[in-house]
Amino acid sequence: AEDLLSLGAVWLDSDRLGREEDLEVRAGGFLFAYVQPRRFPVALSTDWRARIVFVDADCCIVNKPGGVPSLPRADNSEESCAACVQRALGAPVMALHRLDLPTHGLLAFARSSPFKSHFYQ
């Protein structure tokens, strides 16, 4: 159960549960766990700081390896490019686009909401 919580594979109603949360399921509540979440070992073996091509206060460009999802998945939120880059930078990032799972290449993240809004204009 601890592994599932650490991967973000447990949900209560529409909220993802983390390890640090006390769990109280009320009558009518819906608890769901992905008991066999898909794993992405490339995410764990990658030096994410070395994959950062460019970073400033507004954005970050990362060379995503193949075999890692761009964004968190419902069954595994921790082994995605976004989560790994966020941990490497120690700050939140917002994906500006996606690359398919097997695809490697440059992936852009916003580090500020104004930059994200400007990017989509």
Side-chain angles (χ1 to χ4, degrees):
E2 187 73 21
D3 288 342
L4 296 177
L5 286 168
S6 69
L7 285 173
V10 181
W11 295 75
L12 178 58
D13 297 321
S14 61
D15 298 319
R16 187 185 305 266
L17 299 178
R19 254 192 274 195
E20 67 286 342
E21 298 182 48
D22 291 331
L23 180 61
E24 180 181 338
V25 182
R26 298 199 169 138
F30 182 73
L31 181 66
F32 184 84
Y34 290 91
V35 295
Q36 293 183 328
R38 186 162 177 194
R39 300 301 305 266
F40 304 97
V42 174
L44 303 175
S45 63
T46 297
D47 178 358
W48 288 97
R49 292 208 52 77
R51 290 232 167 230
I52 297 172
V53 175
F54 174 82
V55 64
D56 67 11
D58 292 316
C59 72
C60 175
I61 308 297
V62 177
N63 186 8
K64 177 188 117 35
V68 178
S70 296
L71 301 173
R73 296 168 43 101
D75 63 339
N76 184 337
S77 66
E78 296 304 307
E79 296 172 355
S80 69
C81 189
C84 293
V85 169
Q86 195 161 294
R87 282 193 297 275
L89 293 175
V93 295
M94 299 164 273
L96 296 172
H97 64 102
R98 296 176 295 185
L99 294 175
D100 290 340
L101 179 65
T103 305
H104 64 89
L106 297 180
L107 189 59
F109 293 96
R111 298 188 71 200
S112 68
S113 293
F115 182 84
K116 183 177 180 183
S117 296
H118 179 71
F119 182 85
Y120 286 120
Q121 289 181 353

